[in-house]
Structures are given as structure tokens and as C-alpha cells.
Amino acid sequence: MGNPSAYAASKGGLVQLTRWLATVLAPKVRVNSISPGGVFRDQPDEFCQRYIERTPMRRMATEEDLKGAIAYLATDLSSYVTGHNLIVDGGWTTW
């Protein structure tokens, strides 16, 4: 469970695709994305411990942690937001 270049490239590509679609489809359609941090799915204990130690919130995400972000982007609460990638990662990317 490393950090392969294909994963990094595909994630970056999705963020850029979000931005491009936001410019092409506006103003009728808003396009945003969510980049979740590590979601616990019975990964090996060693992996989980390393992840938790490097995350400011000191835990992995659950599906519940994404609900607020999804609700925000799916409703008129974000009516003037497009082309945004909302990071929900417990602070992982703050390093």
C-alpha cells in the first residue's frame, strides 16, 4: 500500500478535469469534486497506524465524515461554487 505514480497522476487528472468541466458547463451546471483522505476499510494495522500518526486529526475517515461535504456541494448552499476540489482528509494535506 504505497504511493504509486498512477494514483497520483489520476487524482491530479480528476482535479483538473473538474476545473475544465466547470468552465465549459457553467453557468448551467456546477462541477466540483471531493478528495477524501484515507477511509478505513479494514486495511492492515501497520498501514492504519502509520496513516493515523501522520494525520493531524489522528484517525482515518469514515463515510460519515464525507456527508457534510457532499450535502454542501449538492445543494444551493454552494450555489456560487464551481471548479472546486474540497479536501476532506483530516489535515493530511496540510503537511
Side-chain angles (χ1 to χ4, degrees), residues 8-64:
S10 63
K11 195 163 189 173
L14 288 172
V15 171
Q16 192 57 36
L17 179 62
T18 297
R19 294 173 181 158
W20 182 80
L21 286 171
T23 63
V24 173
L25 299 175
K28 293 185 179 189
V29 177
R30 294 181 291 119
V31 181
N32 297 291
S33 59
I34 296 173
S35 287
V39 178
F40 181 71
R41 302 254 188 218
D42 295 319
Q43 294 93 335
D45 288 338
E46 184 179 332
F47 173 85
C48 293
Q49 286 308 309
R50 279 196 329 256
Y51 187 91
I52 290 166
E53 289 169 5
R54 294 179 174 127
T55 305
M57 295 297 289
R58 296 290 185 245
R59 65 181 180 85
M60 295 187 77
T62 67
E63 289 84 0
E64 289 290 315

Side-chain angles (χ1 to χ4, degrees), residues 34 36 39 59 61-75 77-78 86 88-89:
I34 296 173
V39 178
R59 65 181 180 85
T62 67
E63 289 84 0
E64 289 290 315
D65 293 316
L66 302 175
K67 285 183 177 181
I70 293 167
Y72 170 68
L73 292 176
T75 65
L77 292 171
S78 62
L86 182 55
V88 183
D89 69 354

